[in-house]
Amino acid sequence: MRFYPSFDKSFERLVFMEKILGDKRREVILEWLKNENRPITGGELASRTNVSRQVIVQDISLLKALGEPILATSQGYMYLKERTNETKKAKRLIACKHAPEKTKEELNIIVDYGATVKDVIVEHPVYGDLTASIMVSNRKEVDEFIKKIETTNASYLSELTNGIHLHTILADNEKTLNDVCAALDQAGFLIRDDH
């Protein structure tokens, strides 16, 4: 007899800890992602379904291959819903350069003005543009991002390009984006076109 999960009212945990198998597990993961407005980590999904994180990574890959719009961020997985708010936001691609140890300062400047750092992009000599989702909007998320880099001994993408990188930033209006750029320029992070 197979048991399938039942949820508590907050959708935060399974009522029992049976391993959920294959298609049913992916169905449940997809439902959780669709119902959350925050990223869910692979570890959390693994715990909820009583499988390893490696199985979750495989499940997410299979769901993406089926066309599900799942985004892997530094905070976890998110289901990309139609976001009318995001389409109304002002958006700008900025070019920056700094040493890895200045990343926290750079990100904090951006979020302190109320903007969101959507991603980081570097130009690799073989692979072309490499883009990684960051999705940080406040200092707590910046701290979590930096901590994850440090605890995993991962490298920043900008280390591939001697610190040169792009960010897509989002804000409620153009004035906020202008203020962010002015602050980044004053701090020496923004690459300027001095030609």
Side-chain angles (χ1 to χ4, degrees):
M1 172 180 263
R2 281 202 178 138
F3 293 97
Y4 295 111
S6 59
F7 306 100
D8 67 5
K9 290 180 182 175
S10 66
F11 289 93
E12 289 297 318
R13 63 181 170 82
L14 294 173
V15 174
F16 59 89
M17 291 300 294
E18 286 292 319
K19 183 184 279 188
I20 305 171
L21 302 176
D23 289 337
K24 186 63 181 177
R25 182 181 58 247
R26 286 183 287 281
E27 181 182 313
V28 169
I29 289 169
L30 192 57
E31 196 61 33
W32 282 330
L33 291 172
K34 286 179 177 179
N35 287 322
E36 281 291 343
N37 290 322
R38 65 172 181 86
I40 305 174
T41 67
E44 184 179 343
L45 290 171
S47 176
R48 287 185 187 188
T49 56
N50 202 24
V51 297
S52 71
R53 187 179 181 311
Q54 185 174 353
V55 169
I56 296 300
V57 170
Q58 180 177 315
D59 284 345
I60 295 295
S61 294
L62 288 169
L63 289 168
K64 285 180 176 182
L66 293 171
E68 294 295 345
I70 298 170
L71 177 66
T73 73
S74 59
Q75 290 87 35
Y77 298 108
M78 293 182 70
Y79 190 84
L80 294 176
K81 304 170 186 133
E82 282 289 324
R83 293 185 184 171
T84 55
N85 287 347
E86 189 170 308
T87 56
K88 292 179 183 175
K89 288 199 176 261
K91 179 172 147 180
R92 188 173 299 173
L93 192 63
I94 59 171
C96 298
K97 181 176 182 180
H98 59 79
E101 59 272 11
K102 294 288 199 171
T103 301
K104 183 175 183 175
E105 182 183 348
E106 174 207 39
L107 296 176
N108 279 335
I109 287 171
I110 297 169
V111 302
D112 283 352
Y113 279 88
T116 296
V117 183
K118 182 178 178 186
D119 56 30
V120 60
I121 305 163
V122 298
E123 186 178 329
H124 190 274
V126 175
Y127 300 114
D129 286 347
L130 298 177
T131 304
S133 175
I134 296 180
M135 295 303 288
V136 294
S137 300
N138 57 55
R139 282 183 173 249
K140 181 178 184 267
E141 292 172 352
V142 169
D143 288 344
E144 290 169 355
F145 174 74
I146 299 296
K147 183 179 177 183
K148 193 168 201 175
I149 292 284
E150 291 171 350
T151 59
T152 61
N153 289 323
S155 297
Y156 293 99
L157 280 184
S158 61
E159 290 182 63
L160 296 171
T161 56
N162 293 322
I164 298 170
H165 59 284
L166 304 172
H167 285 301
T168 306
I169 58 174
L170 307 170
D172 289 336
N173 54 59
E174 287 293 325
K175 181 190 179 316
T176 300
L177 294 178
N178 291 337
D179 291 345
V180 167
C181 289
L184 289 171
D185 189 33
Q186 184 175 15
F189 291 123
L190 213 56
I191 297 174
R192 297 170 53 139
D193 182 11
D194 292 330
H195 300 314

